[in-house]
């Protein structure tokens, strides 16, 4: 089900927001406290049983007297019989049973549910991740020979993958964000030729997530992002109390662009071109760290024999707005395009990608580099098990980075998508 140039989203059960390819700041979830009621047990008193006393009557036996016989006159003695005493039976005692007392304990009260964490600012293009408790949505992409797809899938915690209602139009190289319990997807291309695409899209589609119920809406009623764009990045940044959507670089109206375009959020087709000059590029890794945007690597040309591989990273201050090319106190960047990317705190991970300079030499990379945006240095991270470009990545709620899909092909137009997933956990091993 995985492909190259997918737009994907990781959704936590508590709806903390992550975005396609890039995670920025993550909301903190507070959990309600459960108070347990105390159960009091009644005391049972047992009655005392008294037993009646039986009195036995005394029997007295009468005395028999025998008369005396004298000669001549015979006198007969009188015999008296004793009276038998009456036997009286004692009265049986009455048994009294004790009364059971005691009240039932009070019912346990359930604590209130904790408040949902605040929404982190969004990340950018492509991503997907099976997490222990989350759900992953991924849309579009290409598998080269089979063309570009419009399909939408999700994977749950068990690892099962299911298809949902497809997008209205097939595309790859789109960007997207997950915001307000909805998937938002911008632009993209209908061309399966990755590095020299010509079929850029302008539509902006949105679907709310309600279990497995999906219904795509063309939010902008056909006006979309007003100018076709593909292989770009999208991030949501909250600045001075206001939320904005930014579309960054990419192939703009058919050519690599230096543009950073600002839209009001919720989305409005009214736009502000914050920057139109600078380093034109597409297929770069676009991320947001706090209220700063970074665009690293990519290509500067769509000429098949000279793609113009880029090895710098630009920092974009949207409040000014200004570009600046990052300089590092230690380490140096490896030139790469179509890298997967992720943000953990102030660290930007650039994962895999290709250092090919022509459409027939798209050599996949397994290397990983980490940019420390506070210390301004580059650190070499642990390499992937499988070299790949055009993959998707996202950060899990437990801090793991998961990378999936992409391709190991050396061609921009032929090959197949990898159907494997790699996870970088806290032990530093993929």
């Amino acid at each position: 089900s995985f492909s190259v140039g997918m737009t994907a989203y990781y959704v936590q059960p508590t709806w903390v927001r992550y975005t396609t390819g890039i995670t920025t700041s993550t909301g903190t979830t507070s959990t309600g406290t459960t108070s347990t009621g105390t159960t009091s047990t009644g005391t049972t008193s047992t009655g005392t049983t008294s037993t009646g006393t039986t009195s036995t009557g005394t029997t007295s036996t009468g005395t028999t007297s025998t008369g005396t016989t004298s000669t001549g006159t015979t006198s007969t003695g009188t015999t008296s019989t004793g009276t038998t005493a009456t036997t009286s039976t004692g009265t049986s005692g009455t048994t009294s049973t004790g009364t059971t007392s005691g009240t039932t304990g009070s019912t346990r009260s359930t604590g209130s549910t904790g408040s949902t964490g605040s929404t982190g600012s969004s990340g950018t293009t492509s991503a997907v991740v099976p997490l222990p408790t989350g759900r992953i949505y991924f849309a579009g992409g290409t598998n080269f020979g089979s063309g570009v797809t419009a399909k939408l899938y999700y994977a749950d915690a068990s690892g099962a993958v299911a298809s949902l209602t497809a997008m209205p139009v097939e595309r790859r190289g789109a960007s997207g964000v997950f915001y307000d319990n909805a998937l938002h997807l911008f632009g993209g291309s209908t061309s399966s030729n990755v590095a020299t695409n010509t079929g850029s899209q302008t539509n902006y589609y949105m679907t709310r997530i309600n279990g497995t119920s999906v219904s795509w809406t063309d939010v902008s009623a056909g006006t979309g992002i007003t100018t076709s764009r593909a292989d770009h990045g999208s991030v949501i940044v909250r600045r001075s109390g206001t939320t904005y959507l930014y579309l960054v670089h990419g192939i703009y109206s058919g050519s690599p662009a230096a543009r950073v375009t600002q839209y009001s959020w919720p989305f409005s087709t009214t736009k502000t071109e914050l920057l139109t000059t600078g380093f034109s590029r597409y297929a770069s890794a676009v991320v947001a760290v706090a209220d700063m945007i970074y665009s690293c690597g990519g290509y500067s040309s769509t000429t098949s024999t000279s793609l113009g591989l880029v090895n710098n990273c630009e920092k974009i201050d949207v409040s000014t707005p200004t570009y600046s090319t990052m300089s590092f106190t230690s380490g140096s960047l490896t030139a790469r395009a179509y890298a997967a990317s992720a943000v953990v705190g102030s660290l930007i991970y650039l994962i895999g990608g290709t250092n090919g300079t022509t459409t027939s030499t798209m050599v996949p990379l397994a290397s990983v580099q980490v940019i420390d945006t506070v210390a301004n240095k580059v650190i070499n991270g642990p390499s992937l098990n499988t070299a790949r470009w055009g993959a998707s990545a996202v950060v899990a709620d437990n801090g793991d980075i998961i990378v999936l899909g992409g391709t190991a092909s050396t061609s921009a137009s032929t090959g197949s998508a990898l159907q494997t997933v790699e996870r970088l956990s806290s032990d530093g091993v993929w």
Side-chain angles (χ1 to χ4, degrees):
S1 300
F2 301 144
S3 56
V4 181
M6 295 181 295
T7 302
Y9 315 78
Y10 167 60
V11 179
Q12 289 181 299
T14 49
W15 305 114
V16 174
R17 277 73 169 179
Y18 285 93
T19 65
T20 72
I22 307 308
T23 302
T24 53
S25 56
T26 303
T28 303
T29 302
S30 56
T31 305
T33 305
T34 302
S35 56
T36 305
T38 304
T39 303
S40 56
T41 304
T43 304
T44 303
S45 57
T46 305
T48 304
T49 302
S50 61
T51 304
T53 304
T54 302
S55 58
T56 304
T58 303
T59 303
S60 58
T61 304
T63 302
T64 302
S65 59
T66 304
T68 303
T69 304
S70 59
T71 303
T73 306
T74 303
S75 60
T76 303
T78 303
T79 302
S80 60
T81 302
T83 305
T84 301
T86 302
T87 300
S88 61
T89 303
T91 304
S92 298
T94 302
T95 301
S96 60
T97 302
T99 303
T100 300
S101 63
T103 59
T104 302
S106 58
T107 304
R108 297 185 177 198
S109 58
T110 302
S112 59
T113 302
S115 58
T116 301
S118 58
T119 301
S121 57
S122 300
T124 187
T125 178
S126 58
V128 79
V129 170
L131 263 290
T133 57
R135 177 173 282 184
I136 307 95
Y137 297 84
F138 45 101
T142 181
N143 204 359
F144 298 113
S146 59
V148 179
T149 183
K151 291 182 178 180
L152 171 68
Y153 296 92
Y154 80 87
D156 61 21
S158 69
V161 177
S163 61
L164 299 172
T165 303
M167 295 181 292
V169 179
E170 65 276 1
R171 65 192 61 214
R172 62 137 200 93
S175 70
V177 295
F178 176 75
Y179 192 88
D180 193 25
N181 200 28
L183 309 181
H184 305 264
L185 187 142
F186 311 97
S189 174
T190 56
S191 172
S192 59
N193 193 326
V194 175
T196 58
N197 72 84
T198 57
S200 296
Q201 297 293 297
T202 59
N203 298 87
Y204 156 39
Y205 293 111
M206 183 271 285
T207 181
R208 294 206 173 275
I209 299 299
N210 182 15
T212 58
S213 176
V214 170
S215 179
W216 291 97
T217 301
D218 188 343
V219 177
S220 50
T223 58
I225 55 177
T226 67
T227 304
S228 61
R229 208 159 192 160
D231 287 334
H232 60 291
S234 59
V235 293
I236 287 181
V237 174
R238 187 168 177 81
R239 179 168 56 85
S240 301
T242 304
T243 302
Y244 298 96
L245 166 72
Y246 295 92
L247 301 186
V248 181
H249 295 154
I251 295 180
Y252 180 90
S253 191
S255 300
R259 291 176 181 268
V260 176
T261 309
Q262 174 183 285
Y263 296 87
S264 298
W265 192 262
F267 184 80
S268 167
T269 54
T270 302
K271 66 180 181 179
T272 302
E273 296 291 358
L274 290 187
L275 294 165
T276 57
T277 60
F279 206 101
S280 298
R281 66 180 82 200
Y282 68 99
S284 61
V286 178
V287 301
V289 179
D291 58 355
M292 294 292 172
I293 300 173
Y294 298 81
S295 182
C296 304
Y299 286 130
S300 61
S301 170
T302 57
T303 302
S304 61
T305 56
S306 181
L307 294 174
L309 188 63
V310 180
N311 69 343
N312 65 25
C313 188
E314 285 185 303
K315 181 178 180 179
I316 304 166
D317 184 343
V318 292
S319 66
T320 315
T322 54
Y323 282 111
S324 61
T325 300
M326 296 187 72
S327 59
F328 303 107
T329 58
S330 64
S332 60
L333 288 177
T334 298
R336 66 183 77 212
Y338 289 111
S341 54
V343 172
V344 179
S346 61
L347 304 178
I348 301 171
Y349 286 76
L350 304 176
I351 306 164
T354 176
N355 63 1
T357 57
T358 72
T359 57
S360 60
T361 60
M362 305 279 285
V363 179
L365 299 174
S367 63
V368 175
Q369 290 189 302
V370 183
I371 299 174
D372 186 329
T373 59
V374 175
N376 284 325
K377 62 182 180 179
V378 178
I379 306 163
N380 291 325
S383 294
L384 293 165
N385 293 302
T386 302
R388 62 186 75 205
W389 60 268
S392 303
V394 72
V395 178
D397 51 338
N398 62 357
D400 289 358
I401 298 174
I402 293 107
V403 176
L404 62 98
T407 184
S409 174
T410 58
S411 170
S413 58
T414 61
S416 60
L418 294 169
Q419 300 300 307
T420 56
V421 179
E422 296 194 44
R423 178 195 297 265
L424 178 63
S425 55
S426 58
D427 61 5
V429 178
W430 289 97

